[in-house]
Amino acid sequence: MYSPDIIIEALLNGLLTGAIYALVALGLTLVYGVLHIINFAHGALLAAAMFAVLLINQLFGVDPYVQIPFLTVIFFAVGYGLQRLIIGPASHGRDENILLVTLGLSIVIENLLLAGFGSDTRSLNTDYSFNVYEVGPYLLSQVRVFGAAGALVTAALLWLFLSRSDTGKAIRAVAREKIGASLQGIDVAHVYAVTFGLGCACLAVAACLLLPTFYVNPKIGSAFVLVAFTIVVLGGMGSIVGAMLGGLIIGVVESMSGLFLGESLGQIGIFVIFILTLLLRPTGLFGAKA
Amino acid sequence: MSALRPYLPVIGLGVLLALAPLFVTSNVALNFLVFTLIIALAAQGWNLLGGFGGQFSFGHAAFFGVGAYVSAIWQMSLGLDAWTGFVAGTLAGAVTGLTIGFLAFRAGLRGSYFALVTLAFAEVFRVLSNSSEATGGAAGLLLPLRIGAQNLQFADRSTFLAFVVALTILVLLLVQWIRGSRFGAQLVALRENEEAARALGVDVFAVKLKAIGLSGAITAAAGVLYLQYFLFIDSNIVFGTWISVEVLLAAIVGGLGTVLGPVVGALALHGLGELVKHLAGDLPGIDLAVYGAVLVVAVAFLPGGLVGLFRRKPAPRQVRKTAPEGGRV
Amino acid sequence: MSTTQMSPATGTLPPDEMLPPAEILKVENVTMRFGGLTAVNDASLTVKKGSITGLIGPNGAGKTTLFSIASGFLAPTRGRIAFEGGDITGVAPHRLAERGLGRTFQIVKPFAGLSVLENIVVGAFLRHPRRADAEAVAARVAARVGLGDRLDDPAASLTVSGRKRLEVAKALATGPKLLLLDEVLAGLNPSEVRDIIPVIRELRDTGITILMIEHVMQAVVSLCDEVFVLAQGAIIAGGTPQQVVSDPKVIEAYLGKGAAARLNRGETADA
Ligand SMILES: Nc1ncnc2c1ncn2[C@@H]1O[C@H](COP(=O)(O)OP(=O)(O)O)[C@@H](O)[C@H]1O
Ligand SMILES: [Mg+2]
């Protein structure tokens, strides 16, 4: 039906998008792996980060990529505070409560964005937004290549941080054995908040990488959140490698089902994968590390 | 008399509601009441599964939408009448519930996993109805205006309100009856502890299935009412996340696993929403932002919901574990 | 399945005129592995109808696991369970409850958000579909285990002893023929133990067979007709309480090598 070239190009584009999806999912799976909670506000926080990038760009003319270090720190702090001050205390340690509290947060964030920015879809155009690389017969958008590269670098940095730094080791200790870790003198509430902060920092990076190519509106989070859940479930809850692979797979699935099923029906591929994984293999394709 | 006692609060609220169509005359207030009670009814469906059974669905829009669409197609494409359409929509909600329940509970999904899978089902329905011809695609379906009781369309809003009130009271009585029944006791038991329930002879899978079937039916009935009142539906309205959120919000704010909770919660929430809109002017989404905050606050500080505040005997409880006693409301 | 029900002694009679088999529960060569760990290792035991039978053994011996297998919560890796002569291996817990096999949990599982009466009513509903009947049964059961004056209290407000009683009451309300009690005396003080022992004996006197896991030796000795000892997953001894407590193998399983000799010099076993 389609020429191989079109399919390969869709595949490549799917991989590029998938890398950024993976970065979004990375924050989610990290929080799940350590706190064993599903952060429903993840998508809304991404939308907030994207609006922050847009706003800073419009007010001060700062390029999205240049905002990365600054916004990462801000969002780390936001995440830390949310977990420490709201999610932790409000949910009394119950799984369902956490889901509800983060759902509540996502509604608040989404609608505050709506109140502040209106429902219009906006985008941020840079002078390089439309540059392309020619790879053989294929045209690849420059910003998407940057995005994918940035996502992979961030994932690598996060992995290094978790495996090498003292904080990273504490995080992994808490993920393995909360009670044991607290007996060793690790401040579990602090580690939880740090982890949540890291999850949000991933979102800040993702937002900076996304904006030169992606549009934003207050509801954009809900589009991302189910994609991110699908990736996390597919890759195995809590698994970083799983999230990366899952992200790439979902990027490709989305791009392919968009190609073959059309724009509106295309989303269904992801939901179906999500449902099937939950029903048939809730530990994910690659299995979760406990 | 003593057998009637548990029904007194329901009867009390029912009488209050029944008086509403007689005294409320302004269109704004009638609209408010009809819409709020439709949500309350849908929330009552959610509450049966989520409040009594502890299975939190994030996708009750699936049932609401199925009810609305099935009834619309029943009337528009098949040319059948509205009352049987009402029944068909309700039954379709039950079937949808049983199907999703069968898959999810067979797979052993609980807690967050169950919440997510229901959400995904609702989204699948939304996308499908948005792109399928039978459901009118993105344009949605406009039910032709044919005023007449036989078409479940009424010339004046207060008649429709009376109909919605009657249905709400019926469902309140049904839920109160379920609460006292064996099925109700088993449902609450599995919410509190599945293993303990199984040891006492509770067929956990069957009870959950029954609950989600009933839950789907009630919420679907609310979806049909929505269709009959507004005469227009599209995928983002009746399968939208907003409905899934509103029903769980109403049930939680009103009081999880209480009979009156969903009605009280829906009235309180929508009342608050109107107040906020009144105060904040036309800022879009501000009422919803307040709803979100209310959800956080309710989970943090109101384990028994609003209804719990009026409980005769507050249960001493340091650590909150699901909904408290719930029942004698 | 039902053809296996005839025991040799009654084989000539049609099933419905069959005498009840003398043993209500039969565990045959049951093995249970969790990954690499063998929690129960080729264990066999029988519980005689109308008896109070004890199952004792050190912590981690596999007693609770054996209960979970017998009550349908776990499917054994190997082996067979028979209840009233019928094979029940792998039958779901709620079906076994219907057939008259009740159990309690060592780590008590109250329905914490419900009142004491509501907790027990859940069990009573199994054989009494109408609420009024179920509540009446539940109230009677509550009185029997000494919770008669706590009916409307939240289960979460009960003391340890109260929770153990509630655990028994819930199972009792299902109208069991065989009741598996998992350490219902653990964590109680001596006077509470003294209060509950007659309750258990009275259950047996009303026709309920009891298999109990117990650490409190005083209770085992005074209640049990027969005792089995599980150590490291295997049954190492069986007999009357007196036989079992003086069996050197048992003493060593509990107290370590050489303990039997020390005991013979006059130290007493744990009470
Ligand atoms: N679900 C399980 N998964 C893995 N190991 C288990 C499980 N249940 C019990 N065990 C192990 O099996 C052994 C026997 O446990 P248990 O039956 O509880 O002993 P007891 O009741 O005699 O103290 C223990 O080593 C325990 O850790
Ligand atoms: Mg044990």
Side-chain angles (χ1 to χ4, degrees):
Chain A
M1 189 155 67
Y2 290 103
S3 76
D5 276 356
I6 292 183
I7 293 178
I8 292 176
E9 191 166 87
L11 184 81
L12 290 174
N13 274 318
L15 286 173
L16 294 180
T17 316
I20 298 203
Y21 283 169
L23 181 57
V24 174
L26 202 58
L28 197 61
T29 208
L30 179 67
V31 169
Y32 185 87
V34 179
L35 283 74
H36 304 286
I37 66 167
I38 290 180
N39 173 19
F40 214 82
H42 204 66
L45 284 163
L46 175 66
M50 288 169 84
F51 271 105
V53 176
L54 190 73
L55 197 66
I56 293 170
N57 178 270
Q58 283 173 352
L59 292 181
F60 310 108
V62 184
D63 185 273
Y65 296 139
V66 178
Q67 293 185 33
I68 290 179
F70 165 74
L71 213 60
T72 306
V73 172
I74 297 279
F75 267 77
F76 176 83
V78 167
Y80 188 97
L82 278 179
Q83 165 62 25
R84 197 87 204 230
L85 302 177
I86 299 183
I87 302 171
S91 49
H92 310 288
R94 281 180 52 92
D95 200 26
E96 292 90 2
N97 286 350
I98 293 171
L99 201 62
L100 293 174
V101 169
T102 56
L103 172 68
L105 282 177
S106 80
I107 299 170
V108 171
I109 295 168
E110 202 172 87
N111 287 289
L112 285 182
L113 290 174
L114 183 64
F117 295 93
S119 59
D120 301 346
T121 292
R122 304 150 183 248
S123 56
L124 181 158
N125 284 324
T126 56
D127 357 333
Y128 48 82
S129 275
F130 297 103
N131 292 0
V132 290
Y133 290 123
E134 283 180 43
V135 186
Y138 313 116
L139 297 180
L140 296 179
S141 147
Q142 200 178 50
V143 282
R144 298 180 78 163
V145 173
F146 285 176
L152 294 178
V153 169
T154 309
L157 287 176
L158 185 68
W159 188 79
L160 271 180
F161 175 79
L162 287 176
S163 53
R164 296 291 159 80
S165 73
D166 284 347
T167 312
K169 283 174 189 154
I171 288 175
R172 285 186 303 141
V174 171
R176 265 195 313 275
E177 237 304 348
K178 179 173 93 178
I179 296 166
S182 76
L183 288 177
Q184 285 172 30
I186 294 176
D187 179 354
V188 172
H190 173 71
V191 168
Y192 276 6
V194 168
T195 309
F196 208 88
L198 285 174
C200 290
C202 288
L203 290 178
V205 179
C208 295
L209 295 175
L210 273 171
L211 257 201
T213 153
F214 220 80
Y215 62 90
V216 56
N217 64 46
K219 303 246 174 247
I220 193 85
S222 17
F224 272 98
V225 84
L226 263 177
V227 171
F229 281 138
T230 309
I231 294 169
V232 167
V233 168
L234 193 67
M237 295 283 222
S239 156
I240 288 184
V241 178
M244 296 309 293
L245 290 174
L248 296 177
I249 292 174
I250 291 303
V252 170
V253 167
E254 188 193 55
S255 140
M256 289 296 159
S257 52
L259 187 63
F260 288 102
L261 297 175
E263 192 66 37
S264 69
L265 206 55
Q267 307 161 55
I268 216 147
I270 292 176
F271 300 139
V272 169
I273 289 185
F274 184 58
I275 292 173
L276 288 180
T277 317
L278 276 178
L279 294 180
L280 304 176
R281 256 196 89 97
T283 54
L285 287 185
F286 316 107
K289 280 182 283 180
Chain B
M1 187 61 215
S2 74
L4 274 183
R5 260 191 72 137
Y7 288 87
L8 289 181
V10 172
I11 293 167
L13 183 69
V15 168
L16 277 182
L17 289 176
L19 292 176
L22 304 178
F23 293 100
V24 180
T25 48
S26 96
N27 267 344
V28 177
L30 283 169
N31 260 335
F32 172 85
L33 273 179
V34 169
F35 181 58
T36 303
L37 286 182
I38 289 176
I39 296 297
L41 202 61
Q44 192 64 270
W46 186 93
N47 188 42
L48 199 60
L49 181 68
F52 289 98
Q55 315 298 309
F56 285 16
S57 151
F58 272 26
H60 256 52
F63 310 131
F64 194 82
V66 162
Y69 269 113
V70 165
S71 174
I73 292 169
W74 185 271
Q75 296 174 61
M76 294 170 67
S77 307
L78 307 178
L80 297 163
D81 86 300
W83 288 86
T84 52
F86 184 84
V87 175
T90 306
L91 287 180
V95 171
T96 310
L98 291 173
T99 310
I100 295 177
F102 182 85
L103 294 171
F105 297 138
R106 246 302 109 87
L109 298 184
R110 291 193 231 179
S112 312
Y113 288 88
F114 178 72
L116 289 178
V117 88
T118 49
L119 172 66
F121 271 112
E123 285 293 285
V124 166
F125 288 1
R126 187 179 62 78
V127 173
L128 283 179
S129 64
N130 198 35
S131 46
S132 150
E133 238 169 76
T135 50
L141 293 174
L142 192 63
L143 199 64
L145 183 70
R146 280 177 308 183
I147 302 227
Q150 75 279 11
N151 297 325
L152 245 170
Q153 295 181 19
F154 303 105
D156 65 306
R157 291 166 207 263
S158 59
T159 317
F160 199 92
L161 177 62
F163 180 63
V164 175
V165 164
L167 217 59
T168 306
I169 293 174
L170 217 63
V171 170
L172 281 174
L173 291 172
L174 172 74
V175 173
Q176 179 63 50
W177 177 76
I178 287 175
R179 232 208 84 67
S181 73
R182 162 151 79 179
F183 164 61
Q186 294 187 333
L187 190 58
V188 170
L190 74 83
R191 170 190 80 199
E192 295 289 317
N193 192 316
E194 268 189 31
E195 282 211 315
R198 294 206 290 161
L200 300 185
V202 177
D203 185 345
V204 166
F205 178 68
V207 172
K208 281 184 184 173
L209 212 53
K210 209 162 145 186
I212 197 173
L214 267 169
S215 175
I218 294 172
T219 301
V224 181
L225 288 182
Y226 185 97
L227 167 77
Q228 296 301 138
Y229 189 68
F230 293 99
L231 301 178
F232 171 74
I233 55 172
D234 74 19
S235 59
N236 288 321
I237 296 177
V238 294
F239 282 126
T241 325
W242 73 275
I243 186 78
S244 300
V245 169
E246 284 228 0
V247 297
L248 78 85
L249 209 58
I252 290 170
V253 169
L256 266 178
T258 63
V259 177
L260 303 189
V263 178
V264 173
L267 285 167
L269 266 179
H270 282 189
L272 181 68
E274 291 303 317
L275 186 71
V276 169
K277 270 195 275 191
H278 185 71
L279 294 178
D282 265 346
L283 222 45
I286 196 71
D287 50 335
L288 294 178
V290 170
Y291 287 4
V294 166
L295 177 57
V296 175
V297 170
V299 172
F301 302 112
L302 267 186
L306 291 173
V307 169
L309 291 177
F310 300 101
R311 195 174 306 284
R312 271 165 281 162
K313 205 171 42 170
R317 190 181 317 263
Q318 314 86 321
V319 187
R320 189 190 156 213
K321 228 210 152 245
T322 8
E325 212 170 335
R328 318 264 166 86
V329 189
Chain C
M1 291 267 169
S2 57
T3 54
T4 61
Q5 284 194 351
M6 282 189 214
S7 69
T10 57
T12 52
L13 294 171
D16 46 288
E17 290 174 37
M18 207 170 68
L19 292 169
E23 65 245 1
I24 190 165
L25 184 78
K26 213 167 152 80
V27 174
E28 289 174 11
N29 307 102
V30 164
T31 295
M32 182 78 212
R33 290 206 188 89
F34 296 113
L37 176 93
T38 304
V40 179
N41 188 3
D42 200 31
S44 299
L45 61 82
T46 54
V47 178
K48 293 197 183 74
K49 198 167 167 57
S51 72
I52 298 184
T53 302
L55 179 60
I56 65 173
N59 272 330
K63 305 180 296 294
T64 297
T65 304
L66 197 57
F67 264 30
S68 296
I69 293 168
S71 55
F73 282 86
L74 290 174
T77 314
R78 249 203 326 274
R80 201 180 91 99
I81 313 280
F83 176 63
E84 294 190 304
D87 188 346
I88 57 161
T89 324
V91 176
H94 66 271
R95 295 255 171 270
L96 294 181
E98 278 164 19
R99 283 166 71 162
L101 198 162
R103 78 167 288 186
T104 67
F105 292 92
Q106 177 180 358
I107 299 164
V108 293
K109 297 181 189 295
F111 304 124
L114 309 183
S115 69
V116 167
L117 184 72
E118 282 297 317
N119 265 268
I120 307 173
V121 160
V122 176
F125 263 129
L126 180 61
R127 295 191 206 286
H128 305 276
R130 292 188 43 236
R131 172 160 283 269
D133 304 341
E135 280 188 359
V137 168
R140 268 206 305 281
V141 168
R144 246 169 116 178
V145 302
L147 285 173
D149 52 349
R150 307 290 309 262
L151 292 183
D152 291 324
D153 294 355
S157 73
L158 293 178
T159 59
V160 175
S161 155
R163 286 172 194 219
K164 299 274 187 177
R165 288 168 193 265
L166 179 59
E167 194 68 19
V168 176
K170 284 193 300 178
L172 206 51
T174 64
K177 298 173 191 161
L178 171 66
L179 190 53
L180 309 183
L181 301 177
D182 196 345
E183 300 204 20
V184 290
L185 304 181
L188 305 191
N189 65 37
S191 90
E192 289 167 338
V193 169
R194 251 194 328 274
D195 291 346
I196 292 198
I197 284 181
V199 173
I200 295 173
R201 188 172 290 128
E202 195 218 76
L203 294 183
R204 191 262 310 271
D205 295 342
T206 59
I208 300 171
T209 308
I210 290 171
L211 174 61
M212 59 192 295
I213 295 176
E214 204 41 74
H215 276 309
V216 180
M217 281 317 226
Q218 165 212 351
V220 173
V221 171
S222 79
L223 280 172
C224 294
D225 307 304
E226 196 173 7
V227 177
F228 292 91
V229 185
L230 200 63
Q232 295 177 349
I235 299 281
I236 58 165
T240 65
Q242 286 73 20
Q243 285 167 349
V244 161
V245 293
S246 55
D247 187 327
K249 278 203 305 268
V250 175
I251 295 167
E252 270 165 27
Y254 264 95
L255 302 173
K257 286 252 176 291
R262 280 204 305 283
L263 274 183
N264 284 339
R265 294 198 305 267
E267 295 156 40
T268 49
D270 167 38

